[in-house]
Amino acid sequence: MRSVPTLLALSLLAAGASFASSAHAAEGDDRFALRLGAMNIDSDNTLRGNTNVAGQDIGFSEDFKLGGKEWEPRIDGMFRISNRQRLLFNYFKYDKDRRETLGQDISFGNVNVPGDSFVKAELKYQVASLVYDYSVVDTEKFDLGLQLGAEYAKVSTKGYADLGTVYEGQFLDEKTDGVAPVVGARLSFTPSEKWMITLQGQYLNTRWGSFDDYKGDLSRANAIVDYRFTDNFGVFAGYDWFKLDADKKGSDGTIGLKQEFKGPVAGISVNF
């Protein structure tokens, strides 16, 4: 079985199209823009599954945390083909691990679990996308774009437990990668020459791509505010959200993951 979070791809992937604003104001006649920043990620995770043991259906659904918030890098880029056409690129990664120690001895009948027993988990996620953005509405203050492109995601999850004589070993080792089409829409507002506000939403379904037997989708949305100090340099800030919900069926049952990433984003932008 390859990756439980599979497409984790998952991504909302942080505001890739926020560069594709109006070609008249904040963006001017820029041919190329590069945005370098980070996202302060808070994640919510639900691991679920079901199987059949001795003729009885058994299922579970468990929420779990990987610890506190964490800053992770992100890169966004824009290449303008014409006033209405742009190519948008973005890259995002998430790498988190957590270890929990029992802290005291626990006994269940004849079973003894020592206090130094622990469970540790690791989640790694990388995603990159290339999207074609076309402005169906393009005015001096307002811009509406529709998007179509491809997204690549690579995800791996591992779990290891040491419970003394009760159990010791790796209980989870899932990984997958693949490519799938992504569709989206963008709204950009340019209230002045220095300010730009961008709202974006994207959707991807794993059935559209090459993600083995995983079935699910990735939804994402973000809002970005951009301020230009000069023609070539600026800063941005905003908020990113995305949710992965995917399952994989095997001969011994189904395992799935619902994962939500959210948090503020900030960084600098360079324009040419």
Side-chain angles (χ1 to χ4, degrees):
M1 223 161 70
R2 302 227 300 160
S3 174
V4 110
T6 158
L7 184 247
L8 213 266
L10 21 110
S11 55
L12 173 305
L13 230 184
S18 58
F19 284 113
S21 71
S22 165
H24 299 286
E27 190 178 282
D29 293 325
D30 295 332
R31 175 68 66 178
F32 176 76
L34 181 65
R35 177 170 287 175
L36 305 173
M39 178 178 176
N40 191 213
I41 301 173
D42 185 19
S43 65
D44 295 316
N45 315 276
T46 301
L47 184 66
R48 60 179 180 260
N50 62 71
T51 187
N52 186 282
V53 178
Q56 295 231 340
D57 291 329
I58 298 176
F60 71 91
S61 179
E62 186 71 29
D63 296 333
F64 63 96
K65 288 280 189 180
L66 285 173
K69 297 180 180 180
E70 189 157 318
W71 286 97
E72 292 286 356
R74 49 167 281 171
I75 301 172
D76 301 309
M78 181 279 294
F79 177 75
R80 187 171 63 86
I81 303 172
S82 68
N83 282 350
R84 290 182 179 267
Q85 301 179 83
R86 298 161 180 82
L87 289 178
L88 307 172
F89 165 80
N90 65 67
Y91 171 81
F92 173 76
K93 71 176 285 290
Y94 181 73
D95 189 344
K96 184 71 174 178
D97 57 74
R98 187 180 183 185
R99 174 175 169 143
E100 289 287 346
T101 302
L102 185 57
Q104 63 180 29
D105 295 346
I106 296 179
S107 297
F108 301 94
N110 295 325
V111 178
N112 297 308
V113 182
D116 59 354
S117 297
F118 66 88
V119 176
K120 61 181 181 181
E122 178 185 82
L123 170 63
K124 292 183 178 181
Y125 163 61
Q126 296 182 67
V127 62
S129 67
L130 180 64
V131 175
Y132 171 78
D133 182 290
Y134 182 80
S135 297
V136 294
V137 177
D138 184 21
T139 70
E140 189 169 336
K141 298 292 185 181
F142 171 77
D143 193 273
L144 171 62
L146 298 181
Q147 302 170 350
L148 177 64
E151 188 162 282
Y152 168 80
K154 182 177 182 180
V155 184
S156 68
T157 56
K158 293 182 179 180
Y160 180 86
D162 185 347
L163 308 178
T165 59
V166 178
Y167 179 85
E168 180 180 0
Q170 191 161 283
F171 61 88
L172 179 64
D173 187 5
E174 294 288 317
K175 58 184 177 181
T176 194
D177 65 342
V179 179
V182 60
V183 295
R186 169 191 50 81
L187 292 175
S188 296
F189 304 91
T190 52
S192 72
E193 291 186 358
K194 291 184 177 292
W195 290 95
M196 179 174 66
I197 302 169
T198 304
L199 308 176
Q200 179 189 245
Q202 290 184 341
Y203 178 80
L204 179 155
N205 193 302
T206 59
R207 294 172 187 254
W208 301 346
S210 56
F211 287 94
D212 298 324
D213 298 324
Y214 285 96
K215 309 301 180 186
D217 53 42
L218 174 69
S219 304
R220 45 187 300 197
N222 54 69
I224 301 291
V225 178
D226 203 344
Y227 180 78
R228 233 359 129 81
F229 289 112
T230 68
D231 289 342
N232 302 114
F233 179 76
V235 294
F236 71 92
Y239 195 86
D240 239 333
W241 169 90
F242 64 92
K243 183 180 73 172
L244 166 76
D245 196 343
D247 294 280
K248 182 178 181 180
K249 290 185 177 180
S251 59
D252 54 351
T254 301
I255 189 167
L257 178 74
K258 181 170 73 174
Q259 188 151 25
E260 219 175 307
F261 290 108
K262 54 187 180 294
V265 297
I268 62 172
S269 59
V270 182
N271 312 273
F272 303 96

